[in-house]
Amino acid sequence: VADLVRGRDVSEAIEVLTFTNKKSAGIIRGVVESALANAEYKANQDTADLDVDDLYISAITVDEGSMLKRFRPRAQGRATKIQKKTSHITVHLATR
């Protein structure tokens, strides 16, 4: 899903993610919106002129995060490992 929005304008990327029928699309949409809000906040702090329409996603990566290790009881007194995987999503915005 990250490949769908890499290199697109932020408004176009949010629109694409809104109508994509994947579970991760909603999560990535939230991260992109958060990156946009962070860029606006940082521009206001620095009193810089930032046009939101000029922002695009220059890089987006999804890396493997830490793993939660659990056990589930099974038949005849045995146990099976359950690994709950997490990930780190990084979004870099730039101006055109």
Side-chain angles (χ1 to χ4, degrees):
V1 174
D3 292 335
L4 288 174
V5 296
R6 189 176 288 121
R8 292 186 186 234
D9 293 333
V10 173
S11 60
E12 183 182 353
I14 291 172
E15 186 176 328
V16 167
L17 290 170
T18 301
F19 296 107
T20 301
N21 289 327
K22 296 280 187 178
K23 179 181 177 181
S24 59
I27 297 167
I28 292 176
R29 179 176 173 240
V31 174
V32 169
E33 288 175 347
S34 177
L36 177 62
N38 289 341
E40 289 176 352
Y41 178 77
K42 187 158 177 95
N44 287 339
Q45 290 293 324
D46 298 338
T47 62
D49 188 28
L50 176 73
D51 190 12
V52 178
D53 296 331
D54 291 340
L55 289 176
Y56 75 101
I57 300 174
S58 61
I60 182 169
T61 58
V62 181
D63 299 323
E64 185 175 331
S66 60
M67 196 176 313
L68 300 174
K69 296 178 181 175
R70 303 287 184 262
F71 287 97
R72 165 165 252 141
R74 304 303 274 182
Q76 299 181 357
R78 294 184 176 99
T80 304
K81 265 189 201 179
I82 302 293
Q83 296 177 343
K84 299 184 177 185
K85 298 180 179 182
T86 61
S87 60
H88 300 286
I89 303 171
T90 306
V91 177
H92 294 277
L93 301 180
T95 56
R96 292 193 191 243

